[in-house]
Amino acid sequence: MSGETARYMELSRRQFVGSLMSGSLLLPAIVSEALGESEGRGVDTDPLAPRAPHFPARAKRVIFLFMTGGVSHLESFDYKPKLAEKSGSLHKGRTLLGPQFRFERKGQSGLWVSELFPEIATCVDDLCVVRSLHGSHFEHFQAALRVHTGSLTVKRPSLGCWVSYGLGTENRDLPSFVVLAPYLPYAGTQVWSSDFLPVCHQGIRILPGKEPVSDLQRRAPSNAVQEAELDLLTRFNRRHQATRATDPLIAGRIRSFETAFGMQREMPQVLDLSKETDATLKLYGLERGSTDGFAWQCLVARRMVEHGVRFVELIDSGSTNNWDSHGAMKDHVPKARNVDRAIAGLLKDLKSRGLLEDTLVVWTTEFGRTPHTDGPTGRSHHPYVFSSWMAGGGVRAGTVHGASDELGYEPADDPVHIHDFHATILHLLGFDHERLTYRHGGRDFRLTDVHGRVVPELMS
């Protein structure tokens, strides 16, 4: 085949694809790519188009680390020597249980950290620990829902969906919100559901193993054929949309098809860890070729944010075999071992690549544990006060905010409600939480409902 003939055939192919797809809402980026154009992205109709926040942001993206089951604040980041002194005595008819693990001051900041987290302890000067978080619920389902959506019982969009809705995407070929969850947590998929927000803002679940996303492998014989098939679907969608011009959800559904097509091109590259160095794998504690444990999730999270994903949530375990240590606090040991090195590796890796500065890392759980016993050496659910931390993204590093009382029952200083926690996260992303709203059912909804205040002491 001569060069002139090949060039003519390529031009004809471009013209064919362009004629099929002209004006498509579904694949504007593909049209532009096929025709060699630089415009035509349809920003006005694209619900995932990049958007500026209300004011200059400290963070551009979020990595949300959720520990399922209720990590004990008394065995992690809230040292209680008075509780240790009174261990075994009665308090309001309950037998007190002292901390079951040693605490030490770490870093230049001197933050108290349990021996459960020796690797995270090496990163304490990057952490802002909140010891007065509250506002959860006794039951796992409702508590997990509250931490993710701000709601206790009624379905609402999750934090990741609100961030996607507010900021849009930095990469058209990947979802703006990704969930790395080998197991379903309490409340199931509701913790990453978009509810009344357009479906394109919903979290996409990624699994370890050979099939991380269903139907990720292309079935069509060629790109051009798949493009043509999708454009035919778009034409039907557009006809349907024309009869419902005021329904923003339709554009979201159409956009989700475009994202799915883009994922087939880019997601396999993001999930391919073969080019990561031995030193990087060692930093996370991940064996080459393995997808087991939290280390794989943390390394993939770093690659996700490098490729423009706005919000990445990591869920460490499911509704069974988690941090819910009723019988013995020693059950925390394997759970901590699973996440400790990986989380420290993530923080150090982000920092070394210059990503921690504008990436907000959040570590949290649904509630803490009671200062008194449940089983012989275990603790029950405790929603009145618990600990979480943030790093990067404009937080005040190497600090502690708030305090629980001397036994760890309730906040003693500077209480922070879950709504306040959410409001502060949104503020670091450049949003006024009272103005980030969505009209639904005749009223304006927001993540913090009618509550929440920004906590300036958490920010640098």
Side-chain angles (χ1 to χ4, degrees), residues 72 75 97 100-101 325 328-332 369 377-379:
S72 172
E75 271 79 27
L97 179 67
Q100 298 296 288
F101 302 97
S325 303
M329 294 315 299
K330 67 179 182 180
D331 294 341
H332 267 28
R369 316 299 301 184
T377 57
R379 306 183 189 276

Side-chain angles (χ1 to χ4, degrees), residues 372-450:
H372 56 260
T373 59
D374 188 15
T377 57
R379 306 183 189 276
S380 191
H381 309 171
H382 193 68
Y384 298 114
V385 69
F386 60 107
S387 297
S388 296
W389 56 256
M390 298 189 288
V395 306
R396 186 167 293 174
T399 62
V400 171
H401 178 78
S404 61
D405 61 33
E406 62 180 13
L407 298 179
Y409 268 107
E410 58 187 21
D413 297 310
D414 301 318
V416 177
H417 192 275
I418 291 293
H419 290 311
D420 306 332
F421 199 54
H422 286 163
T424 305
I425 291 171
L426 291 179
H427 188 89
L428 289 165
L429 291 163
F431 290 107
D432 178 342
H433 70 103
E434 295 183 350
R435 293 169 54 201
L436 184 63
T437 62
Y438 188 86
R439 191 75 174 174
H440 171 70
R443 63 164 284 197
D444 291 330
F445 285 86
R446 55 185 171 96
L447 173 64
T448 51
D449 196 28
V450 295

Side-chain angles (χ1 to χ4, degrees), residues 67-118:
M67 309 290 105
T68 301
V71 180
S72 172
H73 54 300
L74 305 169
E75 271 79 27
S76 56
F77 300 100
D78 194 0
Y79 178 44
K80 292 298 170 193
K82 184 63 68 174
L83 181 63
E85 291 177 18
K86 295 187 175 183
S87 184
S89 65
L90 291 179
H91 178 80
K92 296 183 179 180
R94 301 294 188 101
T95 302
L96 294 175
L97 179 67
Q100 298 296 288
F101 302 97
R102 290 184 298 105
F103 276 73
E104 292 183 6
R105 289 188 181 275
K106 295 293 183 178
Q108 294 182 349
S109 56
L111 267 64
W112 288 100
V113 183
S114 161
E115 63 180 322
L116 276 177
F117 300 104

Side-chain angles (χ1 to χ4, degrees), residues 12-91:
S12 298
R13 184 192 69 82
R14 293 187 177 194
Q15 290 172 336
F16 170 72
V17 173
S19 65
L20 273 176
M21 308 172 72
S22 59
S24 171
L25 284 175
L26 176 62
L27 300 169
I30 297 172
V31 175
S32 299
E33 185 177 299
L35 300 178
E37 298 172 355
S38 59
E39 294 88 22
R41 288 202 163 194
V43 173
D44 292 338
T45 59
D46 184 359
L48 282 178
R51 293 177 178 82
H54 298 142
F55 45 82
R58 302 297 303 275
K60 295 180 179 178
R61 62 197 74 86
V62 177
I63 297 177
F64 194 85
L65 310 170
F66 183 68
M67 309 290 105
T68 301
V71 180
S72 172
H73 54 300
L74 305 169
E75 271 79 27
S76 56
F77 300 100
D78 194 0
Y79 178 44
K80 292 298 170 193
K82 184 63 68 174
L83 181 63
E85 291 177 18
K86 295 187 175 183
S87 184
S89 65
L90 291 179
H91 178 80

